[in-house]
Amino acid sequence: MYKIPTVGPNNSYAVIKVEHFKFLYNRFKNEFSFVRNRIAKYYNIKRMKGPSFEEEGKVYLFCKNIIIKRPNDKLDFKKFGLFTIIYKVLKFNYKLSLFKTMQIHFIFYVFLFESILELAKV
């Protein structure tokens, strides 16, 4: 006749769901903070000149949204490495000279780059 309440601090299903939602919140917060920082860096092209890289210039390539074959990305680096720019494809897209063993596309957006000069200033 009386039903056990499903809402309360003793409900294990609710506790598991809350922990899962906390995990998802923290994960997306970290993802969005990276994008927010990159956009804030180059937010207004009229006021602030966008980054321009020269041909044969060296840049670091971030690993963001690039899928590799490792089962876990826990020990991966934040940056793939130092690559040279071959030429400018569009206003914000550049073609890089990658290693022959890397089987990924070689044209990247400018927000995935970090120049050597920025690291020297820090």
Side-chain angles (χ1 to χ4, degrees), residues 34-73:
F34 174 82
V35 173
R36 185 178 59 237
N37 289 338
R38 285 287 160 183
I39 290 173
K41 194 172 181 182
Y42 311 111
Y43 73 101
N44 194 351
I45 296 174
K46 292 180 183 175
R47 293 185 187 197
M48 191 167 82
K49 202 175 196 182
S52 61
F53 299 105
E54 304 165 358
E55 292 183 8
E56 303 297 323
K58 301 252 185 202
V59 292
Y60 283 103
L61 176 65
F62 282 104
C63 297
K64 210 66 171 165
N65 298 330
I66 297 175
I67 300 170
I68 57 175
K69 293 183 179 179
R70 278 192 183 177
N72 191 357
D73 61 348

Side-chain angles (χ1 to χ4, degrees), residues 18-35:
V18 167
E19 292 299 321
H20 180 68
F21 286 137
K22 284 181 183 178
F23 167 75
L24 288 177
Y25 172 77
N26 288 330
R27 183 174 173 190
F28 288 129
K29 184 175 76 171
N30 292 336
E31 294 273 340
F32 292 140
S33 68
F34 174 82
V35 173

